[in-house]
Amino acid sequence: MTRWGMVIDLDRCTGCAACEVACRSENNIATVSPEEAELGRTISWMKVMAEVEGEFPDNTLQFYPRPCMHCDNPPCIKVCPVSATYINDEGIVGQIYPRCIGCRYCANACPYTVKYFNWYPPEWSDSEKAHLNPDVSVRPKGVIEKCTFCHHRLQKAREQAAAEGRELREEDYQPACVDVCPTAAIVFGDLDNPVHRVAELKESPRSMRLMEELGTEPKVYYLRRGS
Amino acid sequence: MRPTRRDFLWTIGALTGGAGLKWGSDVVWADQDLDEDPGWTPGVEAHLNSTCLVCPSRCGIRTRVVDGNLVRIGGNPLHPVNRGGMCPRGIAGVQMLYHPDRITTPLRRIGARGAGEWSPITVEEALEEITNRLRTLRDEQRPEGAALLAGHASGTMHDLWTQFFRAFGSPNVISDDYDDGMEAVIQLMHGISRAPSYDLERASFVLSFGAPLFESWWSPLQASVAFANPDEERVRGTRFVQVDTRFSRTAARTQEWVGIRPGTHAVLALGLAYVIIRDELYDASFVDGSVAGFGDANGRREGYRSIVMREFRTEEVSATTGVPVERITTLARALAEADAPVVVCGTDVTHAPNGLLAATAVHSLNILLNRVNRPGGVLLRSDPPVAPLPDARIDAVARDGNARGPVVQATAPYGTGDQALAFAAAVADDDAEPIDTLFLYYANPLASSMRPQLWTRALGRIPFVVSFSPFLDETTRYADLVLPDLLPYERWQDAPAPASYPYPVWGVARPVVTPPPAAMNTGDVILGAASRLGGTVAASLPYADMPEVLRERARGLFDARRGMLLGDAFERAHHQAMEARGWWLPEHEDFDGFWGELVERGGWVDLFYDDTDPARLVGSRSGRIELMPQELVERVGSLEASIVPTEQEHPPEEFPLRLIPYRLSTLSSGTVGLERWLAEQPALFPEGHWVPWVEVSPHDADVMGIGNGTMVWVTSPDGRYQARLTVSHGTAPETVCAPYGMRHPDGRVANPFALLNGEADSLTGLPAWSTTFVRLERV
Amino acid sequence: MRPEVREKFERMSQDEQVLLRPLVETSRTYYVVASLLGAIVVWGLVAYYIQVRDGLGVTGLNRPEYWGIYIISFVFFIGISHAGTLISAILRVSKAEWRRSITRSAELITVLVIGFGAIQPVIDLGRPDRLFNVIFHAQLRSPLLWDVISIGAYFASCTIYLYVPLLPDLALIRDLGIKMPRLYRFLAMGYQDTPKQRAALERVIGVLAIAVIPIAVSVHTIIGWIFAMTLRPMWHSTIFGPYFVMGAIYSGIAAIL
Ligand SMILES: Nc1nc2c(c(=O)[nH]1)N[C@H]1C(S)=C(S)[C@@H](COP(=O)(O)OP(=O)(O)OC[C@H]3O[C@@H](n4cnc5c(=O)[nH]c(N)nc54)[C@H](O)[C@@H]3O)O[C@H]1N2
Ligand SMILES: Nc1nc2c(c(=O)[nH]1)N[C@H]1C(S)=C(S)[C@@H](COP(=O)(O)OP(=O)(O)OC[C@H]3O[C@@H](n4cnc5c(=O)[nH]c(N)nc54)[C@H](O)[C@@H]3O)O[C@H]1N2
Ligand code: SF4
Ligand code: SF4
Ligand code: SF4
Ligand code: SF4
Ligand code: SF4
Ligand SMILES: [Mo]
C-alpha cells in the first residue's frame, strides 16, 4: 500500500522559511491585512515554528517546519458533518472546498493546529491574479483549508507517468516545499516503499512524531537534533 | 383606519424580507474572476531555466510559465550554487513581477518635482530626450556633467555602463553595491587583487566571524547547501561555528554560537592564534616557507608571534571579548585540528572603524593553518572567461572629460567607501552645479542613503534626473524622466556567481514572460543611447541588443576550452574528474549549439580549481604572504593597539543602547513596496508581521518600562524612526537589534541606516554599522 | 375589538376575560415592547448580514480555538431549554403536583429557547448557504450530524409536548369563537373534552413525558461528545456528557425561577 509521508531533519533546517513561501506560491495562499495578521489570522499551510530557550548569551533555538501531519487516524475527518475533509487510500488527508460549510469543527479537532479558516475572502490585486497556480483552486471565504501534500502534483505525475508508460518514480511526485528546501531538510515519499528514502529515514534512532500519544498516527516524522 | 396589529406585523415582515432579498444578492463568496472549483482548462505550460537577479547570490531558477504567466519560481537543480534550493525572496519574485505598483511605461514629469504628476511617453521619446540632453553636454564640451549612480550592477551591466561613460567622457560613475571589504585584505596580504572565495562544501570546519551565512551573506544558498552537505560520504560532517554579537538565525542554527562583545572579533581571532601558536598547532613548514612577518625581523620589526604571545593571552582576550577561557582554548584546538578548516570574515568585522585591520587579523588564521588555495579553504579563483567588450574608443571630447576627474575622489587608501554619500555631499555643496544629468540605476538614495536630506539637496541641484527603476520609489518620484527597466523575468542579463563561490559560474537570465511593450531593458537603453549618439560612443558599443551582447561574450567561454554547461550531479562529477586529469572534451561542435544549450540549461561553470598554482597564493614580488602587511603597520604604527577597541565605547548619556542593524533574509533594502508574502511575515524569530520592529532584551524593556508591542521612536543624534518594540530573549542587554528593509503599512520607511553616526573605517572608507547609540521612547 | 367579539367577550367570566384579553386587544405597551424587540432583531439581522457579506472575521473569532460566542450561546441555550420539557416531564413522571402552575411557561421556554440554541451553530457557519450539505453529504461519524438529528428530535418532541396539553385551551378559544375561528378549529383537532378524550390525552402526555427525557439527555451528551471529539487539551474529555446534563438541569431550573 502506498502511504505518502514526510521526514523532516531538524538538524538541517535553518529556518529560512523558503518552504512556507513556496507553499504559498504553489497553493495560492493569500495574505491578510496587517490588522488581521496582528490577530494571528495569517494562513500558512507550512508553518515553521521557532522555539527559543534560555537568556542571552545561552540561547538555543529550534525550528519545527509544520505541515499537516496527514494522520493515519485523523481526528479531523471524523468530526466533519459533511465529509468535506477525508482521507484517501494513499493516506492523503484532503479538503473539498465546495462542500465545506465552514463549521470549523475539524479545525478544533486537529491537535496540531494546522487548519486555517478563511475569515475573509482571500484578496489578490488584479495584477497578482496572473501568478495564481491554475492547478489549485482559489478558496472562497468561509471555508477551511490546509496542506494537501500538494496532491495536485500527484495527479499530474501519475498522468505523466502513464503517458510515458512507466511506473511512478520517487522523484516524480515531490511537494513544493520539498523542492525548494536549500538544505534538503524535508524528504518526501512512500513510507511503505522500501526504496523510497523516507522508509529508511523514519526508522532512524533520531526519528519521532509529534504528540504520538494521542494515537493520531501522523505521517510526518521528525529527526531530532543530533549534534 | 387605525393600523391593526396585523398590519404592523406584516409591514415589519415585508421590510425585513425585502432587505434580506436585496442584500442577500450582494453577498459574494469568492472572487468572480477566479473559479471556485478546480479544473480550470489546462494551459500551455513551459518550464524554463533562468537566473535569479534578486540578490548577489545569483541562484539558478526554474520557472513555470502557464499561458504566458509566471506562476512559480523554483530552483534550477543544475545550478551548482543553489542545487535546486531557493530562498523566500527568490520564490516571491512572482509577486515582484506582478506587483500592483509596477510601472510599465516611460513617464515624463509634468508637475513640480516630486509632485507625482506624470505624462506617459513612448520609449522612443524617452530615448530621444535622454540623447538630446547628452548630446548637448558633449557639444558644450562638458561630458563629465553626466553621472551614474548604480546600486547593483555586476557582470555585463557593469561593463556596459562603464564602457558607455568612458566613451562618452564622464568619470562620474558612482557605485553603491555590496562591499565586504575583503578584496583589500587579500590585496594587502597576498598581493592579489581578488575577493576571497570560500570552499565551504569541502570544508570540515567553518568558523564564521560575523558573516550572516544563512541570511544576507554573498550567497545564503551556497552556505545552506554546504551546511546540508550533499556529499553523501560526509553527511553532517561539517561543523559550523558562528561568532556573532547577535543571536542571529545563523548563530541559532550553526552547531555552535560564540556570543561576543561588539567590535571585538579581531581580539578573539588573535586569541585563537595565541592558543594555536602556543600549542604549536599551526603549519610551521608552510609559515617558514611562504609567510613573512611571523617571526621578529632581527630586532628591526616585531613579528606576529611575539605580538600575539604578548598581547593576546587567553585571560585578557576573554576579558575583552566576553568569551570564557575554556571556550577560546577548545575552539582554537578544534579549528586547528580539523582536517579542512576555513575562517570566513563577514561585514560585521569590516564595517567597523578598525575594519580592515580586524579583517587581516581574522584572515591570519587561514594563513597560520595554511588554508589558502587548499581544498575546503579560501580560494582565489579566476572570473569566467567571457569575451571582453571591445576597447572603448575615446575621442577628444571624452578624453578631456575623463581627464577632468570625478566629482568625488576616493579619500581612503584601500577602498572607495560610501561613494554615493560623498557624491551627494559634493554636489549639494558645490555652487558650480557640476552635474547636469544623473542616471539612477538600481538606486534609491532618498530612501537608502545614510543622509537622505543631503540627497534631497543634491538632487535639487541636478537639473535632469533619469530613473530606470520599474517602481515609483522615493527617488524615482523625484525624477524628471522615468524609463522603467524590465523586471528580471522579462530581460536578458548575465549573472556571474558572487566572489564567495569557489568556481567561476556564468549564469544567464532570460525573458521567461513577454515584457510590457512600453518598457525597456536598461541594457538596451544603453545600447540605444550609444547608437543615437553615434561616433566613438556608438563604435565602443557595437551591438544591436542585449541578447547579442551576451552571445558575443559567451564566445569567450566556448573558446576557453574549459568548463561545462550547467549539468546534474553526475555530469559535474564527470567533468571535475576529467579536468583534474587535464582532459577536456568539447560538448559542442559549433558555437550556435553551445549558446542554445547554455541558455536552455541556464549557464556555464568551471568546476576545476588548480590549487597547485602558486600564482593563486601570492602575487607580490617577495613571493611571501604578509601576515602583518608592512604598509599597514607603517600607516597605523602598531597593529595591536589599533585592533583592541579603545575605551571610548561607552554609550553617551542620553543614548544608552547600541544599535545593531541587521538584514532579514526575506527582505531587500525595503526601498520599494514589498512582496506581500514577505511583508506579511518577514521573520520567524522574532516573529513579526507587516509592521517594522526593533528587539531589546527583557531586562532593558523592564528598565525602560516599555512593554512588548508598544510603538516606540528609535532616536539617535542623527535621526529617528518609528518601530514596534519586541522583547526578545536572544538580544544582548544594552543593545537594540533593528532589521533593515521594512516599511510601515502606510509606506513610511523604517530605516535604521539613516540613524548611523557616519563613522567609517579610515582605511577603506566603509561605513561602521554598529557604532551608533540610540534611545527608545514611547510614541 | 370588533363589536360582535366584544359582545361575546362581555358574556365571559372574569377569569376568562383576564386570560383571553390579550388575544383580542392590543395595548400600547405591546407596540412599544414589540417595536423595541423588533429593533433589536433588525439590529441582529443587519449584523448577521454584515457577517455574511464580509466574512466571519468580523466576529473577532480566532484561532487556535475556532469557536466562540456562538457556540457558547448554543451550549447555553440548549442548557436553558431544559427549563421546560425535561423538568416538567420529570416532575410529571414523578407526579409532583405543585408543578401545574409552571408547566406551561416551562414548556414554552423550552421550545423557543431550543430554537434560539439551534440557530447558533447555523449563524456560526462560514457558509450558511451550504447548510443543507448536512443532509446531502451527511457523515454519520460526525457528532455534529448527530447533534442536528438529536436537536431536531428534541425540538419536535418538545413542540408536541407543548402542543398536546394545549389542546383543551385551544378548544376553549374555538368554542368561544372570539378569534380566527377557522384556525382554532384546525388547531383544536376536534377536541371536545369528553372524559374519554381527556383520559387519552393524559395517557399521551404521560408517554411523551417519558420519551422526552432520553432525548433531552441525548442532546446534552451529544454536545459533550462534540467537544470530547476534538483533541484539544481541556476539551478532549469524557466529563462533558454528565457535566452538561447536570448543568442543564440547574440552568433550566434557574431559568424558570
Ligand atoms: N533602508 C535601508 N537603507 C539602506 C540599506 C538597507 O538595507 N535598508 N542598506 C545600505 C546598503 S549596504 C546599500 S548597498 C544601499 C543600497 O541602496 P540602493 O542602492 O538604493 O539599492 P536598493 O535599496 O536595493 O534599491 C534599488 C532600487 O532599484 C530599483 N529596482 C528594483 N528592481 C529593479 C530592476 O530590475 N531594474 C532596475 N533598473 N531597478 C530596479 C528599485 O526601485 C529600488 O528602489 O542602501 C544602504 N541603505
Ligand atoms: N536578504 C538580503 N540580503 C542582502 C541584502 C538585502 O538587502 N537583503 N543586501 C545586500 C547588500 S547591499 C549588502 S551590503 C549585504 C550586507 O549584508 P551583511 O554584510 O550580512 O550585513 P548585515 O546583515 O547588516 O549584517 C550585520 C551583522 O553584523 C552583526 N553585528 C552587529 N554589530 C556588530 C559588531 O559590533 N561587530 C560585529 N562583528 N558584528 C556585528 C549583526 O548581528 C548582523 O548580523 O547584504 C547583501 N545581501
Ligand atoms: S526550507 Fe528547509 S531549511 Fe528552510 S525553513 Fe523550510 S525546512 Fe527549514
Ligand atoms: S494534522 Fe490535523 S488536519 Fe492534518 S490529518 Fe492530522 S488531525 Fe487532520
Ligand atoms: S469546517 Fe468544513 S471541513 Fe471542517 S468540519 Fe466543518 S464542514 Fe468539515
Ligand atoms: S506538502 Fe505542499 S501543501 Fe503541504 S506544506 Fe508542503 S507545499 Fe504546502
Ligand atoms: S539567495 Fe538571492 S539569488 Fe538566490 S534565490 Fe534568494 S534572492 Fe535569489
Ligand atoms: Mo550594501
Side-chain angles (χ1 to χ4, degrees), chain A residues 20-226:
Chain A
E20 283 192 14
V21 179
C23 179
R24 289 165 154 237
S25 178
E26 178 73 10
N27 293 299
N28 301 335
I29 300 176
T31 51
V32 300
S33 70
E35 298 74 32
E36 290 299 297
E38 211 49 54
L39 292 172
R41 284 180 177 167
T42 52
I43 299 180
S44 196
W45 294 3
M46 170 62 97
K47 178 84 188 84
V48 183
M49 324 281 266
E51 237 179 61
V52 204
E53 277 165 26
E55 293 289 328
F56 187 91
D58 297 309
N59 306 81
T60 56
L61 190 155
Q62 182 59 61
F63 289 111
Y64 288 92
R66 192 234 46 202
C68 165
M69 304 287 136
H70 293 267
C71 308
D72 265 347
N73 181 19
C76 56
I77 70 162
K78 293 181 196 153
V79 300
C80 177
V82 297
S83 304
T85 175
Y86 63 93
I87 183 165
N88 73 9
D89 51 14
E90 297 188 352
I92 294 180
V93 178
Q95 292 285 140
I96 307 173
Y97 310 120
R99 187 187 288 178
C100 172
I101 59 172
C103 65
R104 310 185 304 295
Y105 192 3
C106 54
N108 284 326
C110 167
Y112 305 98
T113 61
V114 306
K115 297 208 136 182
Y116 294 87
F117 185 66
N118 286 280
W119 298 103
Y120 290 103
E123 271 177 36
W124 305 95
S125 64
D126 281 336
S127 60
E128 283 170 329
K129 285 174 190 162
H131 71 59
L132 295 178
N133 180 359
D135 299 343
V136 178
S137 56
V138 172
R139 276 75 62 189
K141 77 178 167 204
V143 303
I144 280 282
E145 59 181 72
K146 69 161 188 77
C147 157
T148 59
F149 269 175
C150 293
H151 64 15
H152 55 282
R153 288 192 173 200
L154 174 59
Q155 290 166 16
K156 287 193 126 181
R158 279 243 160 77
E159 283 162 21
Q160 183 74 24
E164 288 170 23
R166 56 173 174 77
E167 293 280 291
L168 191 71
R169 290 180 305 233
E170 182 178 6
E171 64 272 23
D172 289 339
Y173 169 35
Q174 292 292 323
C177 53
V178 178
D179 267 354
V180 299
C181 176
T183 59
I186 318 177
V187 183
F188 183 84
D190 177 1
L191 296 168
D192 285 353
N193 186 336
V195 304
H196 284 204
R197 286 205 300 145
V198 284
E200 185 194 331
L201 287 172
K202 77 172 199 297
E203 303 302 335
S204 151
R206 294 196 290 136
S207 163
M208 59 145 187
R209 292 182 291 177
L210 298 181
M211 303 192 211
E212 236 165 330
E213 68 284 2
L214 294 178
T216 50
E217 301 289 330
K219 285 197 291 296
V220 174
Y221 291 75
Y222 290 89
L223 301 183
R224 276 190 207 90
R225 246 176 120 165

Side-chain angles (χ1 to χ4, degrees), chain A residues 10-11 13-14 16 20 24 26 29 31-32 38 52 55 59 127-128 133 135 141 156 180 225, chain B residues 28-29 31 33 37 45 64 69 72 86 88 98 228 236 249 253 676-677 680-681 685 724 729:
Chain A
L10 300 181
D11 246 352
C13 174
T14 63
C16 69
E20 283 192 14
R24 289 165 154 237
E26 178 73 10
I29 300 176
T31 51
V32 300
E38 211 49 54
V52 204
E55 293 289 328
N59 306 81
S127 60
E128 283 170 329
N133 180 359
D135 299 343
K141 77 178 167 204
K156 287 193 126 181
V180 299
R225 246 176 120 165
Chain B
V28 178
W29 294 105
D31 197 313
D33 293 2
D37 296 313
E45 200 170 320
R64 175 170 177 237
N69 290 327
R72 181 173 71 237
M86 285 296 283
Y98 297 115
R236 305 210 325 278
R249 188 160 63 77
R253 286 308 297 126
R676 293 216 267 171
W677 285 326
E680 185 181 84
Q681 184 190 282
F685 169 73
R724 173 176 286 161
H729 290 270

Side-chain angles (χ1 to χ4, degrees), chain B residues 450-538:
Chain B
M450 200 189 293
R451 298 288 176 265
Q453 320 85 306
L454 198 57
W455 265 102
T456 314
R457 287 226 308 282
L459 288 176
R461 303 183 58 84
I462 301 176
F464 190 56
V465 175
V466 182
S467 171
F468 296 105
S469 171
F471 298 98
L472 270 183
D473 59 41
E474 279 78 358
T475 322
T476 305
R477 259 177 258 153
Y478 203 82
D480 301 284
L481 190 76
V482 186
L483 211 180
D485 199 355
L486 302 181
L487 284 178
Y489 317 100
E490 296 166 339
R491 67 180 190 235
W492 285 96
Q493 190 170 323
D494 62 349
S500 63
Y501 191 70
Y503 306 102
V505 181
W506 197 69
V508 181
R510 59 141 158 190
V512 298
V513 294
T514 316
M520 193 180 216
N521 183 343
T522 305
D524 287 326
V525 172
I526 303 174
L527 300 176
S531 85
R532 274 155 203 261
L533 286 170
T536 47
V537 185

Side-chain angles (χ1 to χ4, degrees), chain B residues 530-770:
Chain B
S531 85
R532 274 155 203 261
L533 286 170
T536 47
V537 185
S540 302
L541 292 165
Y543 306 98
D545 54 17
M546 278 301 276
E548 187 190 325
V549 181
L550 300 183
R551 208 183 129 92
E552 287 310 307
R553 303 210 86 180
R555 278 186 198 279
L557 306 175
F558 183 69
D559 296 337
R561 306 191 58 77
R562 61 190 181 95
M564 63 184 283
L565 299 181
L566 301 190
D568 59 25
F570 174 77
E571 290 167 305
R572 286 197 292 261
H574 178 68
H575 161 82
Q576 222 160 2
M578 291 247 294
E579 238 183 308
R581 288 183 185 81
W583 294 338
W584 184 84
L585 290 176
E587 295 164 293
H588 292 271
E589 299 278 302
D590 61 356
F591 175 71
D592 286 339
F594 172 82
W595 171 246
E597 201 173 334
L598 187 151
V599 172
E600 197 70 11
R601 289 177 172 240
W604 176 97
V605 58
D606 183 8
L607 287 168
F608 174 69
Y609 181 90
D610 182 6
D611 51 32
T612 57
D613 180 1
R616 295 188 178 211
L617 186 61
V618 218
S620 59
R621 254 173 294 129
S622 72
R624 281 176 171 258
I625 304 169
E626 294 218 43
L627 206 45
M628 291 196 304
Q630 190 70 45
E631 266 185 79
L632 278 186
V633 179
E634 277 158 19
R635 257 176 218 282
V636 300
S638 136
L639 284 188
E640 63 278 18
S642 320
I643 278 175
V644 182
T646 46
E647 286 308 313
Q648 58 81 30
E649 288 281 330
H650 286 300
E653 193 65 13
E654 324 84 281
F655 301 98
L657 304 167
R658 180 193 289 267
L659 181 70
I660 299 194
Y662 71 98
R663 241 158 275 255
L664 294 170
S665 51
T666 46
L667 301 185
S668 304
S669 341
T671 67
V672 286
L674 306 171
E675 293 90 342
R676 293 216 267 171
W677 285 326
L678 303 180
E680 185 181 84
Q681 184 190 282
L684 299 166
F685 169 73
E687 192 171 322
H689 307 283
W690 298 101
V691 181
W693 71 84
V694 290
E695 300 146 33
V696 299
S697 68
H699 173 77
D700 290 326
D702 274 356
V703 169
M704 291 183 291
I706 305 181
N708 197 23
T710 319
M711 283 304 276
V712 292
W713 283 110
V714 186
T715 310
S716 84
D718 293 288
R720 65 173 196 167
Y721 71 97
Q722 276 186 16
R724 173 176 286 161
L725 187 90
T726 295
V727 176
S728 166
H729 290 270
T731 305
E734 289 165 31
T735 61
V736 177
C737 292
Y740 282 122
M742 292 213 253
R743 274 180 188 253
H744 289 273
D746 63 9
R748 280 171 300 144
V749 229
N751 186 3
F753 204 68
L755 268 54
L756 299 188
N757 57 14
E759 235 183 285
D761 182 350
S762 60
L763 295 174
T764 58
L766 290 178
W769 282 345
S770 310

